[in-house]
Amino acid sequence: MRLILLLSIFISTFGFSQTTLDDLKFDTKYYEATDKWVAFPKTEKDSTYSYGFIYLDMQAGFTLNYEAHFSITEKGLESTPRDSTIGSMKVRLTPKTSLVTVLNKKQITELNLPETPDWLSIYKKGSNKVSYLKSIGYHYNHVGACELALIPLNKAYKLEPHYKGLEFELAYAYNALKQFNRAITILDKAIENNPKDFYFYRELGYSHKNINEIDKAEATYKKGIKISDNDFEKSEMAVNMAQVYFQLKNKKKFNEWAKLTRKYSKPNSQYTQYIDMFEKQWDKK
């Protein structure tokens, strides 16, 4: 009786442990699967799933190193041999990339894959350097994964807070996550160190306006516009203040910032169109 019981436990534990279709959950964004083996969903016409390894290239951003295809069999995942004449295939991932499934240890074993590829170490050289950490944070910010960006950016900030571009990326991430007071702390120190970087003022003005410190936001944007040599950035700062005064129903101040927006915007630009829309809505009040 005991032998039969042990045998049944063995079968239930090991005999039916192979990967099935239900084990493949395509619910992960590609940037959440960095340094992971992943598979992509197949179309109705496909009989196999493509898979590979996602990593971050400091220059190119999120990249898939394509490995091969696999099918689901009674024995689990079975890889389809790739043409040996084809070298490594790297695909740059974009916001349009589909959701993926991260392969677990069992699935990785079924495909006879290493836990991590040997070549990954090439892209990890200097991974504790400020330049590397800032670059990784930039790529996370660039795809909207600001919470993930905070991890390398804060690590870099502890090492060298005034490294070029680092304070902006960190403040940008905090602003995107609506942690405006933290962004202000970073930016105040950044401006104290380098008062000539207009990007600091752009982000700081955004922080102040979002916690209803309107006077500080306006003064900050004025400083940013004064020192900036970039008309697009000037128009962004101006339209932000125009929007504030539209919401506050302050027509005089709105007109002042609407004029600045048009001054620095290209004809028919998005920001000019915003001003046109505000004015039309104002007339309907």
Side-chain angles (χ1 to χ4, degrees), residues 28 48 60 74 92 102 144 172 185 205 235 245 274:
T28 303
T48 59
E74 293 181 355
R92 306 309 179 192
V102 176
Y172 179 92
T185 298
S235 68
Y245 285 120
Y274 283 156

Side-chain angles (χ1 to χ4, degrees), residues 239 242-244 246-247 254 271 273-285:
V239 77
Q243 182 184 32
V244 168
F246 172 79
Q247 293 168 338
F254 169 80
Y271 295 154
Q273 291 176 25
Y274 283 156
I275 296 299
D276 293 340
M277 180 185 69
F278 291 148
E279 289 176 337
K280 288 178 181 178
Q281 291 182 14
W282 204 299
D283 292 338
K284 294 178 181 179
K285 291 182 180 181

Side-chain angles (χ1 to χ4, degrees), residues 237-251:
M237 288 185 270
V239 77
N240 278 342
M241 280 312 303
Q243 182 184 32
V244 168
Y245 285 120
F246 172 79
Q247 293 168 338
L248 292 174
K249 300 180 181 181
N250 185 329
K251 190 68 180 288

